[in-house]
Every structure is written in structure tokens, then in C-alpha cells.
Amino acid sequence: MSTKRASYRLLVDLISVCVLAWLFGGCALPTPPVGPTPTPTRTPRPTYSPTPTLTPTPVPPTPTPTPAFPVTAGCVASVPDAACERFRASVTKAAMYFAWSDDAAQADTLLGGAELPNATPLGVWTYAVAAPFFTVADEVVSADLRAAWGGTPAGPFALHALLVTTDTLEALTTLWGAPAAGVIQTVAATELLTVAEQMDAWAIVPFEALEPRWKVLLLDGLSVVDKGLDMTTYPLAMTLYWGSARRPETLALLPRDPDTFSDRIETRMTRVVMTGVTAMTRGTALLMDRKGVTYPAQDILPWFANADFVHISNEVSFKPDCVAEGSGTMSFCSHDSYIGLLEAIHTNIIELTGNHLEDKGTQWVDHSLEMYRARGWQWFGGGANQADGAKPLTVTHGVNRIAFIGCNTVGPFAGEDSGGAARCDFEQMRTAIQQLQADGYQTIVTLQYLEDYNYAPTPQQIRDFRYLAEAGPVYVQGSQAHQAQTMEFYNGVFIHYGLGNFFFDQMWSDGTRQEFVDRLTFYDGRLLNIDLRTAILEEYGRPRPMTVGDPDPAADRAKFLQMIFELRP
């Protein structure tokens, strides 16, 4: 073997030994020489043995989360329909939070009573005990009302059936429990007044459902049409609550005005007080000079409290040097200081249709207008000239727009350039009334008509007053009457043919001593109620409230009203 071949064999052996050592223990190999790459020896793969399968522990599925909103809202059955509709409207406006549900059992939140979970007060729903307008009785007590509800009619309810709608029945049941069987009659809302008139029945009526042909009866001395009423003491006030057992945190999310869920909101009420003839002269002037300018009003001041507009038909102009004359005179004036009597009863609307404005000269009409203007008072039915007097007077109080228009049928009249009463033009007045109605005004019409000393109006008076009523006012008044006259509803319009004297000295008969003061309540843009106050004239100038059972027959309110009502056309 040659030396070269022996060296080659030695190298091959050495590499083989190192490869084996590397595979089984490791060996640093020298850098192989450049040349063919040797084919590596494959290492056998181990045989796979499967691991035994284990049963996993069950994992419950992840629940689908309940959406936070909308939350369902509804009404319990006892909630008045009108209140529920307001609630639904508010829910609809807050659609991102609430959805309406007609199923009270499934709703998340409910409008109802104090028994609801997490109940929060939302509003007050108010009811009145009402009778047909030409009812003599004036008041009831809650004890008699509750006794009638419980099946033992007491007081006036022994004579008058008690009517309600189904909606009112459900609401009052939450207050008093279910009524005794057969004592309460349910009538459809559209037929309630008609049935009450036919049966001489009384009713419990929601405040918003009142209208002038209902007479609101005092309940424990309280009236729902009076401002300043304490709702916490009024027996027919039902508080509405919003509550939720499942989602109480959402109760604060409903956008609402504090008044949204109440049906009686005093800021929407306007009180107008209408009076008869005022003539601060003769015996009335002498009384004022003797006992004080404001003395004649001392007994009737409460009738004018909280009034927004007080109307006075002042038939006599003021004169700074006027001296009171005796009963024989027919030329009238009033001393300037006498305006203090009108201030005492909060006068701010002056009717100038009277026959005696110009007795001492037209310049005193202008003087009187300046006195009214200085006090911020407004006037109608007369003025600085015919054009001024014929203009309607329009006033706005909150949501209520009210207009006054008046005229004189007998004279004397204002001229084109001189002051006095406005001459009547019935066609022009009808056109004006219709335009006022189209403009959204509730119109009051007054007439200085031909005087007739009778409780019943003349046939011509009825025709003329009704003719103006057909134009669409809400109230027509005869301001001429020195003797109180009867009244009627004609096509839904209240006509009072004469209120009688107010501050004037005519004491010669029962008819001239008996007086009306009509208190009108407007609500939410309509005439809601007419409250008839009655007085008897004392001392030639002081009206005293009539009372039931007064020993003076002329001053017995019940007898007077009964007679007046029986004479209506």
C-alpha cells in the first residue's frame, strides 16, 4: 500500500469516529474540506403512542345580556284616560329610553297610585262635584259625598242621584274603594250633562271636563275654580305616581314639565269679574262722604280677591269739584276722590256705555279717561269719540285671550270729536265679534239697552241679545239694568239680561236692591265656569252678600235664584 493511500484511509477513519462521537456524545468537527457533501445517516423516528382521552368538565354557556333600553312603560287601569294619554306622549318623546306597553302586568315602569314600588309623585288629577247650571244649591260636604258613595245617601245626595263616567269611577275607586252596589250611575262623557239635566242629578266631573253649563259646587267650602286652592286639603285631588320594581333607576329619565301630568294648572286660569250699574252719585255719594270712600265695598271685597280683570260699568264721569246732591237730581257727576272705591276692588276694565257720562259736559269724559289712563286701566263701549268707543278692547293673560266690546242703544252718544258712549251698530258688532273669534279671543259683549224694571227681559231685548250671541261670543251682558234680570244659555252662549245695580242708591224696591256679580273663569283658552254671586243693597250704596235663609226675603239667596231661574226664556 502506498504512503498516499495509507494517509487517505487514516483520514476517513478519523472522520467516521468523530461523526459517531458527535451523534452519541458530541465532538467538535474540523471544517471539512471543500468537496462533495456526504449523505447524512437518518435517525429512526420513535413510534407514536396516543395519550388516553379525558372527559372535559362542562362549561355553562355565556348568557345573552338583556338590553338596558328601552324600558317599557304603561298605565294601571285606574289612571284617568287623559292622564294616561299625556304619559304616553311623554314616553314617545323619550324613545331612546322608553317603549310603550299596553300590558300593565308586563311593563317595567307604571303610572298609577302610591302603592307602586319606588313611587314618585308625577302630578295631580282634580275633580269637582257639579250640578246643572240652574241649580239653587251651592255646596256639599265631603262626609255626605262619602256616605253616598258607601251606599247611605245623606244630605243633598238623598235627593240627587250621583253620576260619573266609567273612567272617573275607576279613578275614584283607588281613593275610596269600590262604591256600594247600585248607588253610582255611570254615563258616557258625551251624555253626562244631558242626563244630569233630565234627572236633576249631580255628577263628579274632571276639572278639564267642566264647562259653563255645569255649576261647580263648593266642597267643604272649597272650589276648584278658585285660585290659591290648597290641593293637599281638597278632598277630590288624586295624586299620580310613577313607580317601578325592576328599573327604578330609570324614573329620572322621563323629560317632563312639573305641570304635564296635572289637569288643573293655575297659571292657565284667568278670573274676570263682571258687575252691574255703578253711579257714585246721590245717596251713594253721600254714604261715601259720611263713612269713607271705600266703605261701600267692605262686605264684598273677597269676591274680587285674586281677580285678574275687574269690570266696572261706570255710568258717571269724574269732576274734581263735584258735590253730592240729593235723590231728586238726574244730572250726575262723581268727585275725583271716589275713584278710590274702584281701586279698592282692583278695577282695571271700565265700561263706558252709560247714559250719564256727558251730564256735566263732554270735557269730563276726557278728564275721566285721563284718570283711568294714569292708573293703567283700559276701557271699551265708549271713549274719546265714536271710533274710540266702538273699538274692541283685547287683553291677554297667560294663555287666555279675552276681548270686550260694548255699545249703547238709547243715547246720548259720543260724537266724531267728542267723548261719550258708543252708538250700537249691531251688524258692525257681529262682524267684529266673528273676527275676534277667528283671532282666538273669548269675547264678552255688553249692551246699554232700554231700561225695563222687570226681572224678565222684553221680547225685543231677547231678540237683540240673541242676535249678537249668534256671532259667537262666550258671554253677553245687559249693563242697563237697574233691576236684576234672568239669564239663559242660547246656542251655548251665556246671556245675562241684566245684573242690576252695583254701587248705586236705588233702594225703592226689592228688584233694585238685588244685585248680581258674575265671576268668569277662563282656562286654557276657553270659558270654563260662571259663578253667580248675589248681593242686597244696603244704606243706599253698600252691597251685602245674600245668604240662604236670610230673614229679609229679598236677601234670601235661594229664593232669589229660584225665581230668576224660573223666569229664563
Side-chain angles (χ1 to χ4, degrees):
M1 179 181 300
S2 65
T3 304
K4 183 176 181 182
R5 186 173 294 199
S7 299
Y8 179 78
R9 180 64 180 263
L10 179 60
L11 179 60
V12 172
D13 291 342
L14 181 60
I15 292 173
S16 299
V17 171
C18 288
V19 169
L20 291 173
W22 174 69
L23 290 173
F24 296 100
C27 177
L29 296 177
T31 303
V34 178
T37 303
T39 300
T41 302
R42 292 181 178 272
T43 303
R45 304 181 68 181
T47 302
Y48 172 74
S49 298
T51 304
T53 302
L54 301 176
T55 303
T57 302
V59 178
T62 302
T64 303
T66 301
F69 298 103
V71 173
T72 54
C75 294
V76 302
S78 61
V79 172
D81 291 343
C84 192
E85 284 303 312
R86 292 191 190 183
F87 184 58
R88 183 170 187 165
S90 294
V91 166
T92 302
K93 291 178 181 178
M96 68 175 64
Y97 298 123
F98 301 100
W100 185 256
S101 173
D102 288 320
D103 187 351
Q106 299 299 320
D108 296 315
T109 65
L110 286 169
L111 183 66
E115 74 282 354
L116 292 173
N118 302 298
T120 180
L122 202 59
V124 177
W125 220 251
T126 311
Y127 295 84
V129 179
F133 184 84
F134 298 108
T135 295
V136 172
D138 292 314
E139 60 184 314
V140 296
V141 294
S142 56
D144 289 344
L145 179 61
R146 292 293 299 275
W149 187 269
T152 309
F157 297 104
L159 303 174
H160 302 279
L162 189 58
L163 311 180
V164 296
T165 64
T166 301
D167 185 52
T168 298
L169 177 62
E170 291 179 343
L172 294 181
T173 297
T174 65
L175 287 179
W176 299 337
V183 299
I184 306 297
Q185 299 185 41
T186 57
V187 181
T190 55
E191 300 174 3
L192 191 63
L193 180 56
T194 300
V195 173
E197 290 173 337
Q198 292 171 346
M199 295 178 56
D200 190 24
W202 294 356
I204 301 178
V205 182
F207 178 82
E208 283 192 330
L210 292 172
E211 55 123 309
R213 291 182 301 157
W214 283 115
K215 177 177 182 175
V216 174
L217 301 176
L218 295 176
L219 180 58
D220 294 343
L222 304 174
S223 172
V224 294
V225 296
D226 281 347
K227 289 188 175 183
L229 179 64
D230 183 355
M231 302 305 294
T232 63
T233 61
Y234 182 69
L236 281 176
M238 184 177 75
T239 302
L240 299 175
Y241 293 85
W242 191 17
S244 174
R246 296 192 288 268
R247 297 298 301 276
E249 79 282 1
T250 66
L251 298 180
L253 298 178
L254 185 72
R256 58 187 183 271
D257 183 275
D259 295 331
T260 300
F261 302 102
S262 296
D263 69 337
R264 180 188 177 277
I265 304 165
E266 289 198 1
T267 57
R268 298 181 186 174
M269 297 172 65
T270 300
R271 169 64 55 78
V272 178
V273 182
M274 303 294 295
T275 62
V277 175
T278 286
M280 295 177 290
T281 189
R282 290 193 323 203
T284 303
L286 292 171
L287 176 67
M288 296 167 73
D289 288 347
R290 187 171 69 254
K291 293 192 173 182
V293 166
T294 63
Y295 176 78
Q298 67 177 19
D299 298 329
I300 56 170
L301 285 175
W303 293 359
F304 299 87
N306 296 323
D308 301 293
F309 298 101
V310 173
H311 155 277
I312 289 290
S313 179
N314 189 25
E315 294 206 8
V316 179
S317 293
F318 290 100
K319 191 169 182 286
D321 58 352
C322 181
V323 176
E325 301 180 57
S327 60
T329 182
M330 290 297 293
S331 179
F332 297 158
C333 65
S334 295
H335 192 275
D336 282 5
S337 64
Y338 295 171
I339 201 168
L341 176 59
L342 307 187
E343 291 173 327
I345 60 170
H346 314 295
T347 301
N348 50 13
I349 302 290
I350 300 292
E351 178 183 344
L352 294 172
T353 63
N355 298 330
H356 293 277
L357 295 175
E358 303 173 46
D359 281 2
K360 301 297 185 181
T362 59
Q363 69 270 31
W364 302 116
V365 177
D366 296 334
H367 172 71
S368 300
L369 295 180
E370 285 302 318
M371 294 180 68
Y372 301 148
R373 187 179 291 110
R375 289 160 175 79
W377 299 356
Q378 301 180 79
W379 59 84
F380 72 98
N385 49 53
Q386 172 65 25
D388 181 38
K391 290 187 304 184
L393 168 63
T394 59
V395 296
T396 298
H397 180 260
V399 298
N400 298 305
R401 307 176 78 190
I402 302 167
F404 299 83
I405 187 169
C407 66
N408 183 306
T409 64
V410 296
F413 307 116
E416 292 185 5
D417 299 310
S418 60
R423 181 192 298 268
C424 284
D425 181 332
F426 285 174
E427 293 306 315
Q428 185 181 65
M429 284 187 73
R430 279 172 59 97
T431 299
I433 293 166
Q434 290 166 347
Q435 184 59 55
L436 289 165
Q437 182 187 38
D439 293 340
Y441 286 94
Q442 304 290 294
T443 305
I444 293 170
V445 178
T446 65
L447 291 174
Q448 189 75 210
Y449 207 73
L450 182 65
E451 181 64 53
D452 185 69
Y453 285 88
N454 285 291
Y455 292 114
T458 65
Q460 184 62 47
Q461 185 181 3
I462 293 172
R463 285 194 294 271
D464 287 344
F465 280 51
R466 287 180 173 180
Y467 184 67
L468 292 176
E470 290 169 356
V474 296
Y475 178 92
V476 179
Q477 169 177 310
S479 292
Q480 81 293 331
H482 293 295
Q483 176 164 328
Q485 292 186 302
T486 190
M487 61 204 70
E488 67 170 330
F489 283 97
Y490 178 73
N491 290 343
V493 178
F494 185 70
I495 302 176
H496 198 159
Y497 289 97
L499 275 65
N501 290 311
F502 183 46
F503 294 129
F504 192 35
D505 69 356
Q506 292 179 325
M507 293 274 292
W508 64 66
S509 70
D510 290 348
T512 59
R513 293 182 64 209
Q514 293 161 332
E515 309 180 1
F516 279 102
V517 171
D518 292 357
R519 305 201 312 167
L520 315 182
T521 299
F522 294 85
Y523 184 81
D524 224 6
R526 65 185 180 90
L527 178 59
L528 184 85
N529 177 258
I530 301 168
D531 172 24
L532 301 177
R533 298 297 172 100
T534 54
I536 190 78
L537 188 67
E538 305 282 9
E539 299 183 89
Y540 295 91
R542 175 174 61 85
R544 173 177 64 82
M546 286 187 185
T547 57
V548 175
D550 194 297
D552 178 356
D556 186 328
R557 173 176 166 85
K559 292 179 180 179
F560 175 59
L561 287 180
Q562 187 66 47
M563 179 267 295
I564 287 290
F565 292 163
E566 289 176 353
L567 289 173
R568 66 185 189 273

